[in-house]
Amino acid sequence: MGMNMWRLAIQTLRFRRSGFLATFVALFFGTAVVMACGGLMETGIRNNVPAARLAGAAAVVIGDRSYELRPGSPEDSEQEVLPEIAPLDAGLTGQLAAVPGVERVVGDVTFPAVLLAGSSPGAKVSAHGWDSASLAPYGYGLRSGAPPTGPGQVVLDTPTASKAGAGVGDRIRIAAHGGSAVYRVSGIVGGMTGPGRTKAVVGPVLFFAQDEARRLAGHPDTYDSLAVVARPGTARADLAAGISRALAGTHAKVLTGDDRGFAEFPVAQERRSDLISLAGVFGGLAVLVAVFVTAGTVTLSAAQRRRELALMRAIGVTPRQLRRMLLAETLFVAVVAILLAWLPGQRLGGVLFDRLAASGVTSGAVEFTLGRIPLAAAGGAVLLTAIGSGLIGARRAARTRPAEALSEAAVQERWFGVWRLLFALLFLSGAAALVIVTWTVMRGPVASSTAMPAVMLAVIGLALLAPGLTKMCVVLLHGPVRALTGASGHLAMLNSRARAVQMGATVAPVMLAVGIATASLYIQTTQDELTNRAFVANLSADAVLTSVSGTVDPALVDRVQELPGVAAASAYVTSLGYLERPGGRGTESGEDGMPLQGVSARGAAGTTAAAATRGSFAALTGRTVALPESAGHDVGDTVTLRLGDNTTVAVRVVATYHPKASSDAALLPAALLAPHTTAGLPGQILVRAKPGADLGPALARFAAAEPGLTVEGRDALVAAHAQGTQTQSWVTYLLVGMIIAYTAISVVNSLALATGNRRREFGLQRLTGATRGQVMRMVTVEGLLVGVIGVLLGTAAAAAILVAFVHAAGDGTALLPSGPGWLYGVVVVAALALTLSATLVPTWRALRGRPAEAAGAGAD
């Protein structure tokens, strides 16, 4: 491409500012959005978790939490991360200490604790054994006092001591491991003084004596992890190899480099797949939207220049020269937009990741990464889309014979073609196939995985047919609009019929915004409603006892059972495991595993929503289990369960039951399940009242006598669950909102571009006697027409998918989504407001000049 063509392309930018600005905006925001989602995907794939509190260790050993779903099948092998910490036997410390190059081995445990006294009662901290304090790179050196040496001593960090108003020698009550006790502050250490991120992810800490910490962690003979400190001069690779040899035959694995952080932040390992899947779904949606919006804007910009391109063809410019000029223009704008979008794209990705971490989708300890691959992929995708769209937009002008060019620029452009029809049918067929799959195959919340792609395919298919659909809608609406708006409306309808292709290009982004917004909002509200209904259906307890430390003493269950008015009381502990095939040949319970629920035999029948169909829940003692009927086992069978800490246990089936509201958990004795969880104890005590009894006063007195124990009623539990569901939903709202915001920008962009290029038309109308007010009223009707058609088509696309989703996600009887009607009203009002503002503001600007000047002017 010669320098003359580049010079001509750059000079053209000066006189086509609005068109190129619209293209720039679409490319800039599209690149930023796709880069941000690409950064989330790369972050999930890399899953770098730098060590913080244990950064002084060269390597960290943890229990292996990976579980192979289909062992012995390399071509179909898949591993899942189990949810509980896999404890390490304390005896491994001696084995690791004997590895060449090891200076010392430090056992570490982590558990939650709560300060119950001082100036900040209820402050939650992370508790550890004192030996690990020396591994922190930025602090934890003693400022005053001495290390804890006995079970009644504790060391606080400076921020925690300051909030609690405690000093060396003071006594403070601390709740942990299902109870509380008074500890003497033996010393105070400096807080984390490193980078802000390190302080944020570690948070406030306190240290107990090593044996006391292990007891409070619920595993007195084990450690959560073993930190290995290397001797000076020891090569990390040699050390890791030696440790791996020492661990051969055990269920332990060695972590080095940035993987060491998994020992401190195990949730990062569990939720890696959540971040990847979320980034993949919304990243794919963002790419589709960005490509669609970018292609539409670039094509519309090129179509608006038909008159200019026709003149160039008439004076002798060859099709090759025309294409080269358009290619140079598009390349220049695209490269500038992509380069300028790099920094905002990285910032946007970081902000999105922080919000996801705050919502619990991932761990804040994961290091956000946006490398060259997502940057190149986003820039390349948008650049190729821009170039392809620009060339497609110029194809007609470049192929038209010079003698026909000027006359063709003045008449309605033909829009229908075989390729357009084929692609439209392809997208609509894909949408129809996904709707059928959603209706017939999908069940439960997983139905959303096919519903949202179906919306995108449907909207794109309708957008390809938008000119024809727009013309059809204009014909149908001509009579009502003319009756309501008079002469201005009649003129607007005539313009709309004559400009169906241009109008279809502006209807498409409105339809896209309405379709995505309506479908995504009501899919989420429907999921929330179904989740809350299931929770209420499965909640048979009238009250729940919990502790501020997160665990309760199981010995309290029998005491609660004896309170007046109590019909049943049961410990409650949850986890996730797998029902294994005989001989360890994989799992019977599917890739997502089976929920495990620990209960007390005496109170299980009274506090569990479902009733046993065979056997009895009262037999849940020792190594027993109650399974849902769908598991396919009968009373008396012996099955093997893979528990959440990667241990297996053979249990006897003592009952089967028919689950309610998709609650298909395996019921186990709480005494069997709790030791195989990270907490080591039940998290709640469920209480059922006798008919007509008021449990409030008795439970309140009981809780008051146990520091840290709290009581929640049924209504409070339902409200808390709904609030938690809403918090998780905000993640979806955030990501979808970002895409909708970008789509809204494209709506404004396309409409402003389309309206701004009508200066000459408006000037001619005013020369023939039309006033500014008449032109504004005409354009208002046109804008409303664009908005109404876009809303109707977008709603039609969303409605078809929502009906299938509601049928699949619910019980198969409902067809209408759950959620407030005002949500749809907001979507419609917002679409119409955007359409009108993006239409009227450019029109008002175009009408400011003299009619004669406007009639002879170009678009800019």
Side-chain angles (χ1 to χ4, degrees), residues 11 26 57 94 145 253 476 494 603 688 791 821 855-856:
Q11 288 176 347
K253 57 189 285 189
L476 294 175
L494 292 177
R688 181 73 175 269
V791 167

Side-chain angles (χ1 to χ4, degrees), residues 123 415 585 729 785 848:
W415 67 275
R585 294 180 288 105
S729 300
L785 192 61
R848 288 187 303 174

Side-chain angles (χ1 to χ4, degrees), residues 83-84 538 572-579 587 589-598 625-628 630-631 641-644 657 659 661-668 673:
E84 312 292 349
N538 289 313
Y572 183 76
V573 56
T574 60
S575 185
L576 182 73
Y578 291 86
L579 183 62
T587 174
S589 47
E591 296 180 0
D592 295 330
M594 172 178 280
L596 306 179
Q597 181 176 319
V625 68
L627 293 175
S630 58
L641 285 175
R642 174 76 58 169
L643 301 181
Y657 71 97
S662 302
S663 176
D664 54 353
L667 304 182
L668 296 162
L673 181 59

Side-chain angles (χ1 to χ4, degrees), residues 6 168 233 267 307 333 449 495 582 585 596 677 709 800-801 839 857:
W6 279 107
V168 175
V267 71
R307 182 178 179 83
V333 177
S449 62
N495 275 339
R585 294 180 288 105
L596 306 179
T677 63
L709 203 63
I801 282 79
T839 303

Side-chain angles (χ1 to χ4, degrees), residues 50 126 155 343 372 591 767:
S126 177
V155 168
L343 182 58
R372 289 174 294 180
E591 296 180 0
L767 286 176

Side-chain angles (χ1 to χ4, degrees), residues 24-50:
F24 173 84
V25 169
L27 293 169
F28 176 84
F29 285 101
T31 304
V33 170
V34 175
M35 280 183 183
C37 292
L40 294 179
M41 174 66 76
E42 182 178 9
T43 299
I45 293 173
R46 293 185 182 276
N47 210 31
N48 292 332
V49 187

Side-chain angles (χ1 to χ4, degrees), residues 738-755:
M738 175 190 69
I739 296 173
I740 293 174
Y742 174 55
T743 310
I745 292 172
S746 75
V747 171
V748 176
N749 206 19
S750 299
L751 288 168
L753 174 64
T755 306

Side-chain angles (χ1 to χ4, degrees), residues 61 85 132 227 536 555 571 594 650 766 836 847:
V61 176
I85 296 294
S132 67
V536 172
M594 172 178 280
R766 291 177 63 195
L836 283 177
L847 294 175

